Amino acid sequence: MAEEKKESWLNYLALTTVIFAVCATLATLKGGGYSTKAVMSQSQASDQWAYYQAKSIKGYVYELQKEKFEVDLKTMKGSVSRSLASDLEKKIDGYAQKIKRYDGEKADIMKKAQELEESRDTIQKHAGAFGMAAMFLQIAILLSSISALMKQKYFWYLGMGSGIFGLVYFFNGFFLFLR
């Protein structure tokens, strides 16, 4: 039995298939990592928004109490003692300070929540790019395998085209140069 002569292009086919397989594996790994980070950022942002809502409710309760004391003070203006009026004014001022403090805290909480949402959005772009890379690279591996089995370059060329798209998305997953 005579040995079949190995076509030289099959060596390049094997090399490109290995490169695509390694990049597909890394894209899947990085994409999964970014997806996990996106979920964590979303969870943290949701926590911040819940905290913001709690501060809003507390601030609203203080506003209601302040308004109640203001109405009471106006209603009893002539019939209340100086000391009671002074006490009500102090309470009104105290509630006003608490409302102001809560408004400042809410602004800080909102800023942090928005930063977390921006981070989540950027992380999702990375994950999406790696997902696209994995898809194109796996198609390239499939076409390269068909090419090796059938010993037809046509399928390898198609696989190379898909692999190039996959590599572009793979590097975009790191650098986000495509929008």
Side-chain angles (χ1 to χ4, degrees):
M1 197 183 213
E3 272 189 47
E4 268 186 54
K5 182 181 174 197
K6 187 175 181 183
E7 296 179 44
S8 63
W9 69 274
L10 290 174
N11 289 331
Y12 295 112
L13 169 74
L15 179 63
T16 57
T17 304
V18 167
I19 290 169
F20 293 155
V22 168
C23 290
T25 301
L26 293 174
T28 302
L29 179 69
K30 293 297 286 179
Y34 277 110
S35 292
T36 301
K37 288 179 185 177
V39 169
M40 292 301 294
S41 289
Q42 177 59 48
S43 176
Q44 291 171 340
S46 294
D47 288 349
Q48 286 299 306
W49 285 118
Y51 188 43
Y52 176 89
Q53 190 65 26
K55 290 288 185 177
S56 294
I57 292 168
K58 287 179 181 178
Y60 182 67
V61 168
Y62 286 129
E63 285 177 26
L64 289 175
Q65 195 63 29
K66 177 181 169 262
E67 288 174 9
K68 180 194 176 303
F69 283 136
E70 287 172 340
V71 169
D72 288 349
L73 186 62
K74 285 180 185 176
T75 309
M76 300 184 284
K77 192 78 171 178
S79 63
V80 71
S81 70
R82 274 301 222 187
S83 67
L84 182 58
S86 176
D87 287 345
L88 286 174
E89 287 173 358
K90 285 179 187 175
K91 286 189 181 285
I92 291 169
D93 289 342
Y95 284 128
Q97 289 174 359
K98 288 179 182 182
I99 292 167
K100 185 177 178 182
R101 187 186 86 211
Y102 275 105
D103 287 343
E105 290 174 357
K106 284 181 0 188
D108 292 341
I109 294 166
M110 181 191 306
K111 183 179 178 213
K112 185 170 182 176
Q114 289 170 338
E115 287 171 359
L116 286 164
E117 288 175 336
E118 288 173 16
S119 174
R120 176 212 54 211
D121 293 344
T122 301
I123 289 168
Q124 285 177 334
K125 289 177 186 176
H126 285 281
F130 282 121
M132 291 295 289
M135 180 185 71
F136 279 114
L137 290 167
Q138 289 184 5
I139 291 169
I141 294 165
L142 173 72
L143 290 170
S144 295
S145 299
I146 291 170
S147 177
L149 288 172
M150 298 179 77
K151 294 193 179 182
Q152 291 189 6
K153 287 183 181 180
Y154 174 74
F155 290 106
W156 179 45
Y157 293 143
L158 287 175
M160 289 290 287
S162 179
I164 288 169
F165 278 111
L167 290 175
V168 168
Y169 278 107
F170 178 70
F171 289 111
N172 185 51
F174 289 105
F175 305 111
L176 294 180
F177 51 83
L178 298 175
R179 298 288 166 196

